[in-house]
Amino acid sequence: MMVMRMRRLAVIMLSGILLLSMKVDGSIASPKSSATARNNEIIHRTRGGTAAPSSKKNRSVQKSTEQTVSSAGTATITNEIINLLKCLVGSGVLGLPSGIAACANSPEAILPASILTVVVGIMTGYCFSLIGRICKYTDSQTYQEAWGKSVSPRTDWMPAFACLLVTSFSVVAFSMILSDTLPSLLQAYMGVTITRTQALLGLTVFPILPLCLLKDLSSLAPFSALGTAGMFFTAICMGIRYFQGSYALPDGKFLQYLENKPSFGTQASIWNPNVFLLLSMLSSALMCHFIAPKFMVELKDSSVARFNKVVIPSFAMAIVIFIVFGAMGFLTFGASCSGLVLNDYATQDTLMSASRLAVAASIVFGYPLAFVGVRDGVIEMFKIKSRSDSTVNTLTMVLLTIVTVLAFYVKNLRTVLALGGATWGNYVVYLFPTYMFCKLADTTMPSLKKEKPIAVATGLIGLVMGIVGTINTIQSMNS
């Protein structure tokens, strides 16, 4: 009942904000898309387009007042909702129960945590919509190009660099999840015991390295659906175990196998400094804003109104799924939740072992798709001219080594999610989109000024969340 109420609240509030944006956009016709998206573009790609020179900036924005014509995109609204939901519901949800546990230890904390999830979901959804709209106004196809045309081409490296770091955090998180999951799987299915380090090194050598060295990743595209299926399956399994009381005190079926038993207290309020850890984790988990231009470009008959019809249901469903993950994990283990909630379940639990296997499979096949985004981002950021096989292979091994070292030393997924969301993720999600929008409103598109207060407020809230979240995350790492 509470989940359904939260879903309705999310839909109503997000719809209200985006309807205001559509009203503002009513007098603004959108430009014709200048080109179709590349067929082999990878969803986590961080490569930015070339910004227009400053002398063309006004002309590119001026195009946004021309008559709208049908764009070259072919994706339907339904297709885009499915694809966007796949991007939103990723491995980040597996750390949310620990984010709630960092703030409180009473089951009653689920209500304020769920409300907070709705608020963050609305803010991130609004900023995702802003990026798509800015791309439409400026006839841009990438995040970097949108910045160059709305702010300045001289600083368009900033969003490109931020998107590169965001994707890098995701790859490190993938390695951490796999190294934590494999030992439990081997113990459950084969009775074999290995350490986290052995799992990390073994998985890096095979199959991750060979997959990342592939020249054509198109064969992996069908496996991307495994990610969403695995997460839905995991949510169902977590719900089954909670409602069965399999881990409930004092005599749950699997309690005897746990080293860290579920722990609950009386602190129901989440309003303490640690709430910024949860905020940062939510922002990080809901972050796929660097591909917002791709969704606008590929949308059939793209317009702001049609784009928002993709954004609203996608983020609303993601919010509900996030609430379910957070609630089922926290209500099962309470203050004992670890950074990766799957680690809290007993290896003797065959249902949760199947869930671990589904998540691990989805990450293995999704890993090279995200990694190529990092590798290509490095090539363009540092202007590496040679694209020979030897150069690309050497860079792949160097970057994969760096990722593996980071995953070895950083063992808490909550730390990676919180730090990634509080730092560069905050720029990509909140600060860059709102700044670009305000810049357009102040210069070439004064009709947007009615909405500027909302954009400014969102950006300022994101800034505060980022600063305090970064400080708290660093302090938690040192404690």
Side-chain angles (χ1 to χ4, degrees):
M1 181 65 70
M2 183 187 75
V3 171
M4 293 304 297
R5 288 178 179 176
M6 289 297 178
R7 179 183 177 182
R8 285 197 293 267
L9 177 62
V11 171
I12 292 171
M13 295 181 68
L14 186 55
S15 298
I17 294 175
L18 296 185
L19 282 173
L20 173 62
S21 71
M22 283 188 277
K23 183 177 180 181
V24 172
D25 295 325
S27 60
I28 305 172
S30 301
K32 179 179 178 180
S33 177
S34 60
T36 58
R38 293 184 298 271
N39 290 333
N40 64 341
E41 183 175 2
I42 298 168
I43 213 163
H44 289 284
R45 202 176 183 94
T46 56
R47 295 172 65 173
T50 302
S54 57
S55 60
K56 296 182 180 180
K57 176 181 176 182
N58 290 337
R59 278 184 289 170
S60 66
V61 177
Q62 184 63 32
K63 287 182 183 180
S64 64
T65 61
E66 298 173 0
Q67 181 65 31
T68 303
V69 296
S70 177
S71 69
T74 58
T76 65
I77 290 177
T78 301
N79 293 149
E80 294 234 324
I81 289 174
I82 294 172
N83 289 330
L84 181 52
L85 190 61
K86 285 196 299 185
C87 298
L88 288 169
V89 184
S91 58
V93 297
L94 300 175
L96 294 183
S98 69
I100 302 174
C103 305
N105 54 29
S106 169
E108 296 177 3
I110 285 300
L111 180 58
S114 298
I115 294 174
L116 195 65
T117 302
V118 172
V119 172
V120 174
I122 291 171
M123 290 176 58
T124 54
Y126 172 66
C127 289
F128 190 93
S129 174
L130 279 187
I131 297 170
R133 291 165 58 195
I134 292 166
C135 288
K136 194 67 178 173
Y137 300 153
T138 60
D139 194 18
S140 302
Q141 297 185 62
T142 67
Y143 202 134
Q144 183 178 2
E145 185 181 5
W147 178 277
K149 291 182 176 180
S150 61
V151 181
S152 171
R154 291 175 297 181
T155 56
D156 62 3
W157 60 270
M158 293 170 57
F161 183 61
C163 290
L164 171 61
L165 290 179
V166 164
T167 314
S168 300
F169 272 98
S170 298
V171 173
V172 173
F174 286 169
S175 287
M176 292 173 63
I177 293 172
L178 288 173
S179 62
D180 284 339
T181 303
L182 183 61
S184 299
L185 288 174
L186 292 179
Q187 180 66 38
Y189 289 107
M190 302 176 64
V192 176
T193 301
I194 64 171
T195 65
R196 180 181 184 275
T197 301
Q198 290 171 330
L200 177 62
L201 295 177
L203 285 167
T204 301
V205 173
F206 182 84
I208 291 176
L209 177 59
L211 287 174
C212 291
L213 289 174
L214 288 175
K215 306 307 176 192
D216 182 9
L217 298 180
S218 59
S219 59
L220 299 180
F223 294 98
S224 63
L226 284 175
T228 304
M231 292 305 167
F232 274 102
F233 178 69
T234 300
I236 293 172
C237 293
M238 291 171 64
I240 290 173
R241 286 300 183 238
Y242 169 69
F243 288 109
Q244 285 181 340
S246 301
Y247 292 84
L249 297 170
D251 55 358
K253 179 180 178 180
F254 295 104
L255 277 181
Q256 59 181 315
Y257 303 112
L258 300 182
E259 292 184 8
N260 297 319
K261 302 292 191 294
S263 174
F264 295 94
T266 59
Q267 182 182 342
S269 175
I270 65 172
W271 309 114
N272 55 68
N274 284 338
V275 74
F276 287 95
L277 291 175
L278 178 58
L279 285 168
S280 298
M281 293 176 70
L282 287 168
S283 297
S284 178
L286 283 164
M287 177 172 48
C288 60
H289 292 58
F290 44 87
I291 58 170
K294 171 185 173 70
F295 279 85
M296 176 60 89
V297 169
E298 295 187 350
L299 179 62
K300 182 179 180 181
D301 299 324
S302 63
S303 66
V304 170
R306 286 176 59 80
F307 186 69
N308 284 339
K309 288 181 180 179
V310 173
V311 175
I312 293 174
S314 299
F315 275 83
M317 286 187 284
I319 288 170
V320 173
I321 295 170
F322 277 40
I323 290 174
V324 171
F325 263 98
M328 294 301 98
F330 180 74
L331 291 176
T332 301
F333 298 103
S336 298
C337 288
S338 62
L340 177 63
V341 70
L342 293 180
N343 288 343
D344 298 323
Y345 293 90
T347 56
Q348 293 79 4
D349 187 339
T350 54
L351 182 63
M352 294 311 299
S353 293
S355 177
R356 290 187 184 97
L357 184 61
V359 171
S362 69
I363 291 177
V364 165
F365 289 109
Y367 196 110
L369 300 176
F371 181 83
V372 167
V374 176
R375 186 182 65 199
D376 288 355
V378 170
I379 289 175
E380 293 198 3
M381 181 61 61
F382 293 97
K383 302 186 185 303
I384 300 175
K385 296 181 179 180
S386 174
R387 300 264 180 143
S388 64
D389 288 348
S390 61
T391 300
V392 172
N393 291 344
T394 300
L395 182 59
T396 296
M397 289 185 281
V398 170
L399 292 176
L400 202 53
T401 300
I402 295 173
V403 168
T404 303
V405 170
L406 290 174
F408 172 78
Y409 282 106
V410 183
K411 297 179 173 60
N412 193 330
L413 182 64
R414 182 175 70 188
T415 300
V416 173
L417 292 176
L419 191 60
T423 53
W424 298 107
N426 220 271
Y427 283 92
V428 173
V429 175
Y430 302 113
L431 300 183
F432 287 161
T434 54
Y435 183 72
M436 286 190 291
F437 184 85
C438 292
K439 195 72 173 178
L440 284 178
D442 289 337
T443 55
T444 56
M445 304 184 71
S447 57
L448 299 177
K449 286 187 176 181
K450 293 180 180 179
E451 191 183 342
K452 184 179 175 182
I454 297 177
V456 171
T458 303
L460 289 177
I461 293 173
L463 178 62
V464 173
M465 286 167 47
I467 294 173
V468 181
T470 301
I471 294 173
N472 284 1
T473 302
I474 294 174
Q475 288 177 343
S476 68
M477 292 170 60
N478 296 328
S479 61

